[in-house]
Amino acid sequence: MSDAAQPTVAEVRAAAEAVKAALDRHLEAVEARTGEDDPAVYSAFNALAAAAEVYDERLYDRYDEVTPFEIPAADDSLPPYAGPDEPHALSVLIRRDYAVVEPQRLLTQAQRIVDLDPDADSGSGVAAVVGSSVHAALGVLFGEYEPDEVASRHKEFGLEEGDSTLWVSAVDELPEPGEWLDAPFDQADPQQIVCRFDVSAVFDDEELFDDESDETDDGDEAGGEPTDERH
């Protein structure tokens, strides 16, 4: 960057003063907050993040230095809750990803389900299709078991867990029967989320990295259980 394009000393100082003012406003908002999802705190947080980013950029452009702290971007958190204070109904959205790592195990389990079904029509050819099609086997598996049971027995079915998330959203009242079945996830509103639970191997990797960097003096690593990300 040329000297002409660099911020002036006064601009860097002004950016630093803006951070100080934003810190004061953030603390005031936190001290006066009316609840866990107070919009004033959320707004002050975003203002502080923006001011810190400007200061960091100008400090680097002028002096080739950076700040020793980092404020998470607003995109890393949920927006402030804007749903009803006393929800009378809930909408629970769940996504679980699986990899089919042992197709033959999946096919065998699906075949066993069909063979044990007294209502199966042996002349329909269903058993033969299940025995050769992963697509059909998945239909049999998820048609027989609840999602929670599949999750608890996934290894038995030749599956490997990927990421999963569960959103609990507040609604004023239950929709009419069949109202959202054509597009079940289109109406998900982040501002209606009461709580959210995320599970991912990436969280375990981050914890492992932290444990390795926090080794005790005798060489033992700090231990810890895998943690579900909760927002």
Side-chain angles (χ1 to χ4, degrees):
M1 177 181 292
S2 67
D3 291 343
Q6 288 183 346
T8 65
V9 172
E11 288 174 331
V12 178
R13 287 189 174 277
E17 292 300 324
V19 173
K20 296 175 186 178
L23 277 168
D24 288 339
R25 288 193 295 270
H26 181 261
L27 179 57
E28 291 172 358
V30 169
E31 291 174 336
R33 68 181 179 183
T34 58
E36 292 185 1
D37 300 306
D38 191 329
V41 175
Y42 182 74
S43 177
F45 174 89
N46 287 338
L48 176 58
E53 183 177 2
V54 171
Y55 172 61
D56 192 79
E57 290 177 353
R58 292 185 177 176
L59 185 71
Y60 181 80
D61 290 344
R62 180 70 191 186
Y63 300 109
D64 199 24
E65 293 286 348
V66 295
T67 56
F69 55 86
E70 179 181 356
I71 297 178
D75 291 341
D76 292 339
S77 60
L78 291 172
Y81 177 70
D85 292 334
E86 298 183 6
H88 297 291
L90 296 175
S91 178
V92 180
L93 306 181
I94 301 175
R95 171 172 173 170
R96 293 189 178 113
D97 288 353
Y98 298 96
V100 180
V101 292
E102 296 184 74
Q104 189 55 52
R105 179 183 290 272
L106 172 64
L107 295 170
T108 299
Q109 291 288 355
Q111 185 70 59
R112 183 182 63 82
I113 293 170
V114 171
D115 290 344
L116 293 175
D117 184 359
D119 297 327
D121 183 357
S122 59
S124 65
V126 172
V129 172
V130 169
S132 60
S133 169
V134 170
H135 180 275
L138 289 170
V140 170
L141 176 65
F142 283 91
E144 177 70 14
Y145 299 111
E146 295 290 334
D148 286 344
E149 185 167 3
V150 174
S152 65
R153 300 174 60 184
H154 63 278
K155 292 183 180 179
E156 179 183 338
F157 302 132
L159 305 176
E160 182 179 277
E161 286 183 311
D163 288 355
S164 67
T165 188
L166 182 150
W167 294 12
V168 180
S169 299
V171 293
D172 292 316
E173 57 185 18
L174 287 179
E176 293 296 325
E179 182 177 332
W180 49 258
L181 291 180
D182 289 340
F185 302 107
D186 282 0
Q187 297 180 8
D189 184 353
Q191 289 189 305
Q192 300 287 102
I193 295 176
V194 176
C195 55
R196 171 176 171 173
F197 304 91
D198 297 331
V199 179
S200 174
V202 70
F203 302 139
D204 299 340
D205 293 342
E206 290 173 355
E207 180 175 289
L208 178 61
F209 178 80
D210 291 340
D211 289 347
E212 290 175 347
S213 65
D214 293 334
E215 292 182 357
T216 59
D217 293 338
D218 60 1
D220 294 335
E221 295 183 0
E225 296 293 329
T227 303
D228 293 357
E229 192 74 1
R230 298 168 188 265
H231 304 282

